[in-house]
Amino acid sequence: MARAGLSAERLTQAGAELADEAGFDQVTVSALARRFDVKVASLYSHVRNSQDLRTRIALLALEEMADRASDALAGRAGKDALTALADVYRDYAREHPGRYAAAQLRLDPSTAAASAGVRHAQMTRAVLRGYDLAEPDQTHAVRLLGSVFHGYVSLELGGGFSHSAPDTQETWTRILDALDTVLRDWPPAT
C-alpha cells in the first residue's frame, strides 16, 4: 500500500524543490526517499525511476514557464513582447535554477510533443510575427532567441558576469535592444 500523502504530483513538486536547492543533477528517487524519510521502494508506486522523476520535473518546469510567458505576453507585440518573453525565462531561471535546468532535459519525441514546450514554440513564433519574418527565417530567429536567452541566463547563473561592471541588467537590456534591431532588419535570404 502506498504511504499516505505521497503521490506522483507531490514527489514531482518535492523533486523540483530539491532541484532548486541542490541542483537538478542531484535529483534521484533515493534523494527524495531520504527527504520523506521513507524507503526507496515505497516511491516506486508513484514514479518508475529517477529518469521518470526528472522527466516529470522537466514537464512541470515547462508548464510553469509557459504559464508565466502566456500571462506576460498578453496584449504585447514587437519589442515589448520580445522583452516580456526574455524576462520570463531569465526571471524563472533566477528564481528556480534547478527547474530551469530541468526544462533543458531532452525529452523523447512523444513526450515533447505533448509538453508545454509546444506552447513555448508557439509563443516565440507569435512574438516573431510582430517582426514579419517568413519561413525559414522565422525558424532561424526562434533558434537565435533561444540561444541568446539560454546562453546569457546560463552564464549569468554560473557567475560568469559577477566579477565586472556594468551591471548585468544593463547588459541584458542592451542585448534585447540588439535583438530587436536584428529582427527588424533581418537580412533577406540569399
Side-chain angles (χ1 to χ4, degrees):
M1 179 170 167
R3 184 176 173 101
L6 291 182
S7 65
E9 293 77 22
R10 186 164 179 221
L11 293 175
T12 301
Q13 188 62 43
E17 291 166 9
L18 177 61
D20 288 339
E21 294 164 14
F24 185 56
D25 58 335
Q26 299 300 309
V27 175
T28 64
V29 173
S30 297
L32 274 189
R34 286 189 298 275
R35 183 167 262 207
F36 284 103
D37 195 27
V38 298
K39 293 189 184 323
V40 173
S42 66
L43 301 185
Y44 288 128
S45 61
H46 306 290
V47 294
R48 288 188 307 273
N49 52 38
S50 291
Q51 185 59 38
D52 179 42
L53 174 63
R54 293 165 60 86
T55 298
R56 289 170 184 269
I57 296 166
L59 295 172
L60 172 69
L62 288 168
E63 190 72 34
E64 289 175 344
M65 284 193 295
D67 289 346
R68 285 186 183 196
S70 179
D71 290 345
L73 289 172
R76 297 177 191 256
K79 184 180 177 198
D80 195 30
L82 173 68
T83 300
L85 182 65
D87 286 345
V88 164
Y89 288 115
R90 185 175 182 224
D91 292 345
Y92 187 85
R94 291 165 135 187
E95 293 169 31
H96 300 291
R99 292 177 208 207
Y100 180 78
Q104 310 312 310
L105 183 69
R106 184 179 189 136
L107 302 172
D108 68 74
S110 63
T111 302
S115 77
V118 174
R119 287 176 57 207
H120 288 269
Q122 292 168 339
M123 286 184 279
T124 303
R125 288 181 182 277
V127 167
L128 291 172
R129 279 195 292 277
Y131 292 96
D132 199 29
L133 297 178
E135 285 299 347
D137 291 330
Q138 193 176 90
T139 296
H140 295 312
V142 167
R143 293 172 180 167
L144 171 67
L145 295 181
S147 298
V148 172
F149 297 167
H150 179 66
Y152 190 88
V153 165
S154 296
L155 288 167
E156 186 177 38
L157 286 177
F161 306 136
S162 61
H163 304 294
S164 62
D167 180 71
T168 58
Q169 182 58 45
E170 183 179 338
T171 304
W172 182 247
T173 300
R174 293 191 67 176
I175 286 171
L176 296 178
D177 289 344
L179 284 172
D180 176 63
T181 299
V182 165
L183 292 171
R184 280 188 284 111
D185 298 334
W186 195 270
T190 56

